[in-house]
Amino acid sequence: MSQRNIKEYSPIVGESVVEELFLLADKLRGKVIQNVNSTAVGGGVAEILAHMVPLFKQLGVDARWDVIKGNEKFFLITKKIHNALHGVDVTFSDEEFDFFKQVNAENAADMASYGDIVFIHDSQPIGLIEKKKDIGKKWVWRCHIDFTNPTAQIEAFLRDYIERYDSAVFSAQSFSRQLSIPQVLIAPSIDPLSDKNRDLPEETITSVLESFNIDPQRQIVTQISRFDYLKDPVGVIKAYLKVKQYVDCQLVLAGGGATDDPEGAKVLEDVRNAAADDPDIHVLLLPAGSDIEINALQRASSVVLQKSLKEGFGLTVAEALWKSKPVIAGAVGGIPQQITHKYSGILTYSIDGTVYYLKQLLNDPDYAKRLGANGREHVKHNFLITRHIRDYILLFLSLYYSEDVVQL
Ligand code: UDP
């Protein structure tokens, strides 16, 4: 986990922002925040927790992080729930729901109940709320994914849990639902000082490219993502193959798995088949902790793609914008919060749209640079970790001071 000093953020966000965090955090003193999610590595939730939990501690807030246990059967079901939340047409048997409940009950029995505020991330551990009737405490459910279009079956199943929480947090206004509990909107964030986002010396970028046999002299187009159908990596290859007929460039598709995502291997196989033996398509399976590599790949790119078909927030977009990169991304989930079309990046809806704008940006570096610069400014003001911590502290305080709906 990150060992940075919170005061190191002052030159980026301003001293007053950091001072305010200390003042607000002081009001939470004595309270323990117990975060719970389903994977320690891989994906955006683990990425945020790994950087945020140590910073909370530096602010004097006792934040901790637990990961639930589950076997492959459980994570196949939870991935199916994830897909159903994104509107994918799947149905669940009673046996699947019963197994989900059973694994949550086992985790509830095993997990120490030390938190004054139990902060549950996403749907995998949502059933831990059953403990509330025995232990009380404040319970918050944090939804990190697009909740706009869930299947009716999964919405009904989860609603039964969600409405037992004290509060629910969504990443974007469009994701919120009609619920009987207070809801708040808190966008995710990136850590500008992490290995994934901090400035890198040119030599590091060059040596990462060399280690992957990528030519630093030719333009590079990159998508960093878990190998997931909803990130549309095969669509990225199709777009790239069309663009390559007009502009010389290389494609990097880099990603790893997450321990709670069992579909990855199949998607990777499809990607490798689609890439065939094109030497300019670099499909990189990255081990956990490849933060410097990801940072270098993003920085070395002429254009970063995030051609998602569905998305929660899309941290990879913020990561690339922070590096002043022009980003072409699917207009889904939290991506339009980050990109204003033709101002701080490009929003697309199709492979052909991606092709059109990719050709344009590769051929017009000045325009690409303007988009990237505007994107960095937008991320600086809205999606850095200090803003995120402030929003969470206010939310936690509101649990003690108000029963009303809170708008942050
Ligand atoms: N990521 C990573 N290694 C990989 C692929 C992704 O560290 O091989 C990181 C990526 O840099 C980002 C996060 O995982 O910080 C993915 O978050 P995002 O919101 O983009 O997507 P999610 O995986 O949560 O759907």
Side-chain angles (χ1 to χ4, degrees), residues 43-44 47 196 224-226 231 255-256 294 311 314-316 319:
E47 174 75 20
K196 189 169 285 168
I224 309 280
S225 272
R226 288 180 296 105
K231 311 282 186 185
I294 290 173
E311 192 51 84
L315 280 181
T316 49
E319 288 163 5

Side-chain angles (χ1 to χ4, degrees), residues 48 52 187-191 313 315 318 383-388:
I48 291 169
M52 189 176 274
S189 64
I190 59 163
D191 183 342
F313 177 71
L315 280 181
F383 304 121
L384 295 187
I385 196 164
T386 39
R387 189 275 310 150
H388 199 177

Side-chain angles (χ1 to χ4, degrees), residues 9-47:
Y9 293 80
S10 296
I12 300 172
V13 296
E15 214 164 298
S16 61
V17 169
V18 175
E19 275 168 15
E20 186 190 33
L21 290 182
F22 276 104
L23 287 174
L24 290 171
D26 198 47
K27 303 199 182 312
L28 268 183
R29 204 167 291 279
K31 301 276 187 253
V32 181
I33 317 293
Q34 182 173 9
N35 291 278
V36 185
N37 84 323
S38 61
T39 179
V41 284
V45 181
E47 174 75 20

